Structures are given as structure tokens and as C-alpha cells.
Amino acid sequence: LTAAHVWFERGESKDRQRVIDRLQNHCIGKNHPVLIFPEGTCINNTSVMLFKKGSFEIDTTIYPVAIKYDTLYTEAFWNSSEQSIVRYLFMMLTSWALVVNVW
């Protein structure tokens, strides 16, 4: 079972409440798990910032997911100060493989 992504602005309190409401509607009475990817919360591709507590306040099982990119064939991290998006996309699309470890 898949669901749509939930996009929100962290600084907007109404957006935070909308996310909590949507998660509760998805989970209540259905026992659906929630996978949380900390998209956009990594620091220079070296470490992950702490999760905010809001998603963990609903009454269901939460599975945080960690993804670590292996630089064996290419670097998955885009450093916009060093390369353009076109150069980065070319590198990604022409690399032999993108190795990813998921926990």
C-alpha cells in the first residue's frame, strides 16, 4: 500500500498540524505503519539532523529510514557551489551504478 507524499513547510504551524492530521487519518483503525525519510535534513552528506517530534506523536508504529549513499561509483550528493545541476544530472545519469545502503 502506498500513499502520496506529504509536503510541508517546517516553519508553518498550520502545515505541521496538517501533517499530523493526515498521518492520523492514514493510520487510525488501519494499523498502517509510517515510514519517515529525513529528506533535506542531512548536513553536508555526512550526518543527519534530529527528527522533529511531531510525526512520532500519532498512535501508530513509526519506522525511521536511513539511507547512506556509497561513493564507489559516483557521489550522490549535489554540492551546488561546485557544480551546476546540469553537470550533476549528467554525472548521475551516466554513472555505472548508484550504491545505496538502507537501514
Side-chain angles (χ1 to χ4, degrees):
L1 178 67
T2 61
H5 290 78
V6 178
W7 300 102
F8 64 97
E9 199 58 50
R10 286 178 185 234
E12 293 289 328
S13 60
K14 64 182 177 203
D15 279 5
R16 289 191 305 259
Q17 186 58 49
R18 199 174 343 186
V19 169
I20 290 171
D21 293 344
R22 189 146 177 214
L23 289 172
Q24 286 176 335
N25 289 336
H26 173 74
C27 299
I28 290 178
K30 302 171 191 157
N31 197 27
H32 292 162
V34 175
L35 297 175
I36 297 178
F37 294 86
E39 184 66 32
T41 55
C42 82
I43 303 168
N44 295 328
N45 205 32
T46 59
S47 57
V48 177
M49 295 171 57
L50 291 174
F51 282 99
K52 300 291 184 186
K53 67 179 182 175
S55 299
F56 297 92
E57 293 178 339
I58 61 173
D59 188 26
T60 191
T61 304
I62 305 289
Y63 296 102
V65 177
I67 299 174
K68 182 173 187 332
Y69 294 99
D70 189 326
T71 58
L72 180 63
Y73 298 108
T74 191
E75 174 64 66
F77 176 68
W78 175 43
N79 186 339
S80 60
S81 65
E82 293 183 7
Q83 62 190 163
S84 70
I85 187 67
V86 174
R87 175 77 178 128
Y88 170 74
L89 289 173
F90 178 78
M91 179 187 70
M92 292 297 292
L93 294 172
T94 59
S95 67
W96 187 80
L98 180 61
V99 181
V100 178
N101 297 307
V102 180
W103 291 281

